[in-house]
Amino acid sequence: MEMNLFGSKSVSTSEMVHVGGTYSSLFLSSRDKATVRFSKQFYCPRGIFFTSSNIYLSDKAITSVGPHILAAETNCHGINGINGETSNLYSRNMRVLDAFDDEYGGVVMDTERLPESPSAFAPSLHFSLAHWKKMGKKGIWLKLLVEQSELVPIAVKEGFQYHHAEQGYVMLTYWLPEGPCMLPANASHQVGVGGFVINQNNEVLVVQEKHCAPSSSGLWKIPTGFILEAEEIYTGGIREVKEETEIDSEFVEVIAFRHIHNMAFEKSDLFFICMLRPLSTQIIVEDLEIQAAKWMPLVEFIKQPLIQGDNMFKKVIDICFARLGKHYCGLSVHQMLSKFDGKPSSLYYNVVDSKNINCVGN
Amino acid sequence: MEMNLFGSKSVSTSEMVHVGGTYSSLFLSSRDKATVRFSKQFYCPRGIFFTSSNIYLSDKAITSVGPHILAAETNCHGINGINGETSNLYSRNMRVLDAFDDEYGGVVMDTERLPESPSAFAPSLHFSLAHWKKMGKKGIWLKLLVEQSELVPIAVKEGFQYHHAEQGYVMLTYWLPEGPCMLPANASHQVGVGGFVINQNNEVLVVQEKHCAPSSSGLWKIPTGFILEAEEIYTGGIREVKEETEIDSEFVEVIAFRHIHNMAFEKSDLFFICMLRPLSTQIIVEDLEIQAAKWMPLVEFIKQPLIQGDNMFKKVIDICFARLGKHYCGLSVHQMLSKFDGKPSSLYYNVVDSKNINCVGN
């Protein structure tokens, strides 16, 4: 197993998915096929935050391990699902559902080997939970594909909670022990980018959007958008500019970022302002959401009343001016492949140059 | 309506929840009670990315509007759910489910007024979708509480997809029109922080974790963790240090950040390295996940083989050294209340000082 630089610890074999630990690190990780991340963040209702884990299920890497079929257990007691029956009621010839142990005392149920019918799933799930509780297991992970939606109410009745969902599945969890839930949280942030494209004539590339609030009608703004799944911040800025204006550009620096909370779906939001250098001049507007685009003198851009009225915007403009005058250094991006985890990484930092400690950006 | 600086547009009244638009903006937003965010990010399976929206439902702010009960419609045609019946089959005395129009042509179903029983929900949902399709509606939002899990398979059979889930609910969506889905994506990122705490003797505050991979056994690392829901990056770093070592500290700067992808739950990960100044000296380890903690000479810290073996780590150390020698400026944090949206915002940027363009951090 290899080690990783920041924040992640990845362990897997073809047979196991491991879960647990601490967000780790500057400096902790190992990696094979499936990825495990260690976390100190939890959204448990009990409000006690303890160290626990994130889990990533590699669809292909996991296969079932351990005893799949246990002979009838005669001494299982019901656990705290809503159903309330003890598993004695149907423990004869019952089997524990296929699952994988994780190295932190949890269980990952095998999505592909679940019974198809709710009537078969219900008693098996009840029996399995009783078994895992007896075995001292902790967090139970149950990923149900959209095709398995009929099993969702069964799991909920047994006491499972929703953890997260993506288009094709919903992940449910069950924390068996007494005491605080130590399972990791769902993703917490959206990430947006804005492209500040300034040409040699000190003109800013600006757009007007079709669907804007009446009060902002006529405002010229920089191209912005959310970054796509697994997209880089610096390429996201370039893509947004291209989509909205057809202008090609190259990344210079992240000059600032803003962090706000309780946005869409009550998530937080990080917005990175990227300074970009234009590589073309001719604007073409074909984006369905963009009304118009143009090169606008920076001075004129700043004079817009909606921009003048906000301290934050003025600060960003100050930074842009300073950066244009090379009195400011933003963060440049450096692609690195960490030996520890083999993860292609983008590290953003100021350029360090002992001979020239001022901004060495170009 | 007021305007907001970056990336969000919020609109609501007590009667409507609006959806749609563009991630907007340096500079577009309005806000009342419910929050709407404009987005250019989508996770639609069709792979075409168009501008669309995020939605935030304010539990209390929404009330039903529009006609709740429509007389029997006799000319509805079935839509592309799995059931396949046309709504003619049960359109007599059928009513459209309670919902709110949004200003971008979508519909937000009223979670609190759904039929309780699956058998009542199924025909009503089918009828309502046919009605909304006939009305030219676009995205349909259906939030089902954990107590309503029996309705999940009904919605899936009608063609709804999972959008996201949190502990108490799952959100499903249905894109009615032909053509690419323009609904916004789920949260995309986890955010971690590391606290680089260095005292005046050039000693680094380091910890050993209890649950680490065997290959990293004995490694001393800086305190790290995920930031909590709605937590600031700079307070998250301070909190992690406090939890793991009992050391009080204050935030100096974000000195760099790393961006990686395909981590837990296939989400991306942003990890911010915070330089912190210690405000106390005595270490106490009470965190269940921490084996030991101590002040370690920086030189000794760097000499650790696992750290020496990775270029990325060495770069971070270089940056720390430069910062200690004031040859490097990280990003300091500035709290601002944008007039546009009234959102408490943390803006991270280098200190700009025209008289001293070198690092003016302390």
Side-chain angles (χ1 to χ4, degrees), chain A residues 288-312:
Chain A
L288 292 181
E289 296 296 321
I290 298 300
Q291 181 70 41
K294 66 176 181 180
W295 293 102
M296 188 180 208
L298 182 57
V299 177
E300 194 179 321
F301 176 64
I302 295 167
K303 277 185 182 167
Q304 294 182 97
L306 288 169
I307 287 171
Q308 280 296 314
D310 193 280
N311 285 335
M312 183 176 297

Side-chain angles (χ1 to χ4, degrees), chain A residues 350-361:
Chain A
N350 284 350
V351 175
V352 177
D353 180 342
S354 60
K355 293 174 188 168
N356 179 4
I357 58 177
N358 301 339
C359 185
V360 296

Side-chain angles (χ1 to χ4, degrees), chain A residues 130-191:
Chain A
H131 171 73
W132 291 323
K133 185 161 193 177
K134 193 178 159 196
M135 301 285 284
K137 295 297 181 188
K138 295 176 179 172
I140 313 297
W141 296 86
L142 173 60
K143 179 180 183 176
L144 293 175
L145 304 179
V146 70
E147 300 82 8
Q148 296 169 309
S149 67
E150 289 190 348
L151 306 186
V152 171
I154 307 297
V156 167
K157 278 181 194 152
E158 277 296 340
F160 275 81
Q161 304 260 6
Y162 297 125
H163 183 275
H164 71 280
E166 298 294 335
Q167 195 161 44
Y169 73 91
V170 59
M171 179 77 84
L172 298 105
T173 55
Y174 194 117
W175 183 249
L176 284 170
E178 300 295 323
C181 172
M182 293 166 68
L183 297 174
N186 192 357
S188 57
H189 282 66
Q190 290 273 26
V191 176

Side-chain angles (χ1 to χ4, degrees), chain B residues 11-13 15-19 36 55 57 62-67 96-110 131-132 135-141:
Chain B
V11 186
S12 86
T13 70
E15 292 185 338
M16 298 282 280
V17 175
H18 305 282
V19 186
V36 178
I55 183 171
L57 301 179
I62 56 177
T63 61
S64 186
V65 293
V96 173
L97 291 166
D98 290 322
F100 321 102
D101 289 338
D102 67 48
E103 64 177 329
Y104 300 95
V107 169
V108 181
M109 297 177 66
D110 187 346
H131 170 74
W132 291 323
M135 301 285 285
K137 295 298 180 186
K138 295 177 179 171
I140 313 296
W141 295 86

